[in-house]
């Protein structure tokens, strides 16, 4: 009698949750240090000391009312101004506080932006595999239809592949770079090709096709010559969804933003985002965290451990003959199961108490995801297992 | 081109926001101490010292990962257990952690519960005037139809009035006691009559009609002999939506819960709530605040200022001849404009730099809302103005 769709969403089996359950059970038997858990995207790097200092200072020196009262629905002006300043400094833009809408994290950002963009059930949102599986839930919940672009083995953006998925009903293309689960960064050139194609298609359609740029990993760049392009500088009709979950290691605190640049064609988009926030029950983003962000917006994440883990795993695994999408950002590695069957690989890995997530849910059945936001020892211990598995099963 | 409904929600004029804007302008001219602002429901009592102590202790003594990592979607088990224990102690119930789902505040609680309950566009949710205006937005956003029960001058619950609004399509009755905007508390007897009527009607309909009990003001009881009944002990199919915004003065932090008692008929309701949280983009409730609540769940709010203000205003205004719904809880007073036109009264009050909210949006055009979560001096200063207005306009 409860809503059927919600019940089914609530009861849906989660491969990641099941792996976590298996890992917890095994930890009791063999000790947690002997479970090599690459299944979860919880940052292993602690929130930087500046976050702790900011919380202590705010709580000790400001009145409870100043800290804990409602903020405006779109967030504190001083926080939005600080974020705009940070972006302007880095990208040569001229955003103001009014271009920003504070949210309860990336999932909130995406749902609100989708609700503001989607009008008809026929409206389509194009998603590029491999992709974060919750995208399906978000797009459908907000009344749209997801259209999937298959991945190539390089897991990169290819405008010509995207073009084939564009129809008269395309409302937005949702991109995620650095990418979860593949760890790749889309090149500026690839984004420029995408932009040119979308401009052409928007004209044909008689309404703009938006880029929805989901960027929680923007600051997690792990390869020296890699660069995360600023999408709104490449394509005017871009809406950026951001969260500090990964960059400041604050996933539980639910704090992020939506950026609507002044150049977007539809001047009603920001009001619609305010309305969508209201309609989804978001009164405001958590106020203490808004104040923390205002003070920590310029803090750069410590990515040294992620870099070390990436190098160790990428070099080790490619040397063994594994096919790996070249990871340049985030903290994920997307590895091809040598026989193209990631589910069997994941099952076999469990026999070694090693947890890797089959890529089926991410839209790439042959590949599996390793979240290497773990301590380096776990990565080191995993290499002989990958070697043994290659020798035993796949030679 | 943005979603039309969301744009219209985002652009909707808010009487309260407009009053706030007027107040801010006048404060620049006459000084903030001379603007008598009764328009906003931001608690004037600061968050209790235990909240500050809890935050400092958690931040100083726990690791950032323990504090800021994702929690499970339904919240930390230890927090949910602490809340269940608190409720069991007070109401003689036997809830466990599994009966609770942590949320980002009352608006999130309501939207998630509504999304879990509503199936068809014909599903109706009965709301009793006077009511919090966002209920309309929430019910419609989650796909249902709001059916309004007119208020009597006592602003109380009358089961026979509600009965007339029940149809074959009624999915839930949404109640709010202590009530925003009227400050009344529904008596146990009135709730028992409602329960008996709903049991009968549920049988007739062949499916349960739920009570959705929105209780952010549960702990704000201001009259010694008043008591807030525990609705799930009166009616099995009750879902409680709670928030600490008012009781711990934490409105900006977005922390609350949904309680689904074991006795509800539909065993899929809790999974559906989990699914609805997912579909609306709520990954988890803010983790630091979940930890704070675990430590502060037994802290009782300081309501002395609210009591004092209530007495001062209620006694003073009734003596002048104003009709006031008897306020026993929350921090609102609902006053009838002597000529039944609250909008004109509110406009006239602005000439005295006094801000009161006309009741039109709350479903009661003749009445206006005073939020007396202000300092007592503001209440004292307002009395001669109410007197002068009565003499000048309404004798």
């Amino acid at each position: 009698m409860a809503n059927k769709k919600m019940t089914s969403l609530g009861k849906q089996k989660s491969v990641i949750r099941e792996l976590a359950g298996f890992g917890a059970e095994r930890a009791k038997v063999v000790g947690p240090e002997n479970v090599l858990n690459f299944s979860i995207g919880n940052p292993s790097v602690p929130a930087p000391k500046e976050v702790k200092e900011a919380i202590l200072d705010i709580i000790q020196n400001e009145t409870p009312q100043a800290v804990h009262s409602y903020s405006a629905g779109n967030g504190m002006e001083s926080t939005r101004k600080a974020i705009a300043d940070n972006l302007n400094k880095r990208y040569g833009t001229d955003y103001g506080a009014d271009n920003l809408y504070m949210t309860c994290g990336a999932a909130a950002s995406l749902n609100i932006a989708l609700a503001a963009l989607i009008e008809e059930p026929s409206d389509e949102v194009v998603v590029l595999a491999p992709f974060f599986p919750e995208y399906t839930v978000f797009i459908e919940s907000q009344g749209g239809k997801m259209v999937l672009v298959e991945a190539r083995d390089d897991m990169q953006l290819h405008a010509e592949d995207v073009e084939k998925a564009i129809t008269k009903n395309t409302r937005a293309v949702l991109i995620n770079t650095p990418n979860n689960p593949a760890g790749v960064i889309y090149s500026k050139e690839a984004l420029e090709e995408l932009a040119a194609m979308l401009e052409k298609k928007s004209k044909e359609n008689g309404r703009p096709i938006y880029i929805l740029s989901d960027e929680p990993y923007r600051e997690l760049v792990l390869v020296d010559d890699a660069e995360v392009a600023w999408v709104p500088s490449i394509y005017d009709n871009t809406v950026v969804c951001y969260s500090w979950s990964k960059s400041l290691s604050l996933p539980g605190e639910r704090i992020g933003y939506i950026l609507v640049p002044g150049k977007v064609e539809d001047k009603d988009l920001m009001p619609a985002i305010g309305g969508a926030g209201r309609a989804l029950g978001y009164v405001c983003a958590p106020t203490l965290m808004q104040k923390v962000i205002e003070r920590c917006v310029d803090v750069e994440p410590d990515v040294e451990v992620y870099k070390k883990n990436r190098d160790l795993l990428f070099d080790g695994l490619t040397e063994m003959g594994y096919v790996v999408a070249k990871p340049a950002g985030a903290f994920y590695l997307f590895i091809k199961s040598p026989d193209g069957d990631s589910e069997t690989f994941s099952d076999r890995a469990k026999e070694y108490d090693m947890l890797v997530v089959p890529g089926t849910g991410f839209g790439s059945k042959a590949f599996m995801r390793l979240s290497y936001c773990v301590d380096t020892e776990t990565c080191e211990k995993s290499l002989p297992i990958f070697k043994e598995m290659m020798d035993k099963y796949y030679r």
Side-chain angles (χ1 to χ4, degrees), chain A residues 130-354:
Chain A
F131 65 100
F132 178 50
E134 291 295 288
Y135 286 172
T136 318
V137 178
F138 299 162
I139 292 167
E140 290 176 2
S141 300
Q142 301 317 324
K145 208 180 127 191
M146 181 165 119
V147 175
L148 197 63
V149 178
E150 296 285 325
R152 301 190 192 179
D153 267 10
D154 64 2
M155 305 293 152
Q156 275 289 346
L157 163 68
H158 299 276
E160 59 188 280
D161 295 353
V162 180
E163 184 165 9
K164 289 174 196 148
I166 304 288
T167 73
K168 286 226 160 319
N169 297 318
T170 308
R171 193 71 183 107
V173 176
L174 171 49
I175 62 173
N176 173 221
T177 170
N179 179 263
N180 172 12
V184 302
I185 295 176
Y186 295 164
S187 71
K188 198 178 168 201
E189 293 66 35
L191 288 163
E192 283 168 347
E193 275 178 49
L194 177 72
M197 184 273 285
L198 291 179
E199 269 157 30
K200 189 186 71 179
K201 288 286 179 184
S202 295
K203 254 182 221 153
E204 283 174 26
N205 281 0
R207 69 167 186 177
I209 298 171
Y210 281 85
I211 289 182
L212 213 50
S213 188
D214 179 30
E215 306 191 351
Y217 301 97
R218 190 199 305 141
E219 276 75 27
L220 303 192
V221 177
L222 310 180
V223 173
D224 286 341
D225 61 349
E227 204 184 319
V228 179
W230 181 241
V231 185
S233 295
I234 298 175
Y235 187 68
D236 285 349
N237 287 315
T238 296
V239 174
V240 175
C241 294
Y242 188 77
S243 143
W244 283 273
S245 291
K246 316 295 174 175
S247 57
L248 290 183
S249 298
L250 294 172
E253 302 302 349
R254 314 314 301 143
I255 184 79
Y257 67 73
I258 300 171
L259 173 89
V260 179
K263 285 182 181 172
V264 300
E265 201 170 314
D266 185 350
K267 301 310 169 198
D268 278 344
L269 191 52
M270 192 51 115
I273 279 168
R278 237 180 116 184
L280 296 173
Y282 293 99
V283 173
C284 64
T287 45
L288 171 58
M289 285 301 142
Q290 290 194 54
K291 285 182 166 276
V292 169
I293 292 303
E294 186 175 335
R295 294 172 182 226
C296 297
V297 70
D298 293 323
V299 174
E300 287 177 16
D302 173 11
V303 294
E304 286 313 308
V305 177
Y306 302 146
K307 275 186 179 174
K308 200 167 165 185
N309 292 353
R310 175 212 168 270
D311 291 348
L312 199 69
L313 288 169
F314 180 66
D315 295 348
L317 291 170
T318 46
E319 199 169 298
M320 290 173 206
Y322 284 96
V323 171
V324 186
K326 197 188 161 201
F331 39 52
Y332 303 111
L333 214 65
F334 216 41
I335 307 168
K336 195 169 190 174
S337 172
D339 67 349
D341 176 358
S342 65
E343 290 178 24
T344 303
F345 193 101
S346 174
D347 280 342
R348 286 170 175 164
K350 279 159 84 177
E351 290 166 25
Y352 298 88
D353 294 320
M354 186 169 83

Side-chain angles (χ1 to χ4, degrees), chain A residues 30-105:
Chain A
V30 298
E33 72 283 4
N34 292 314
V35 177
L36 309 181
N37 189 350
F38 295 105
S39 70
I40 303 166
N42 242 335
S44 57
V45 171
K49 67 176 191 323
E50 287 89 344
V51 166
K52 179 175 177 171
E53 288 163 4
I55 296 176
L56 293 177
D57 188 47
I58 291 164
I59 293 296
Q60 274 159 345
N61 297 314
E62 297 193 30
T63 66
Q65 286 99 326
V67 182
H68 303 305
S69 293
Y70 292 113
S71 80
N74 58 350
M76 294 178 189
E77 192 174 354
S78 51
T79 302
R80 290 182 284 119
K81 176 74 167 58
I83 298 165
D85 289 348
N86 170 278
L87 295 173
N88 294 340
K89 209 162 45 191
R90 290 160 68 191
Y91 302 116
T93 48
D94 60 350
Y95 305 128
D98 287 350
N99 296 111
L100 288 146
Y101 178 93
M102 300 301 297
T103 68
C104 296

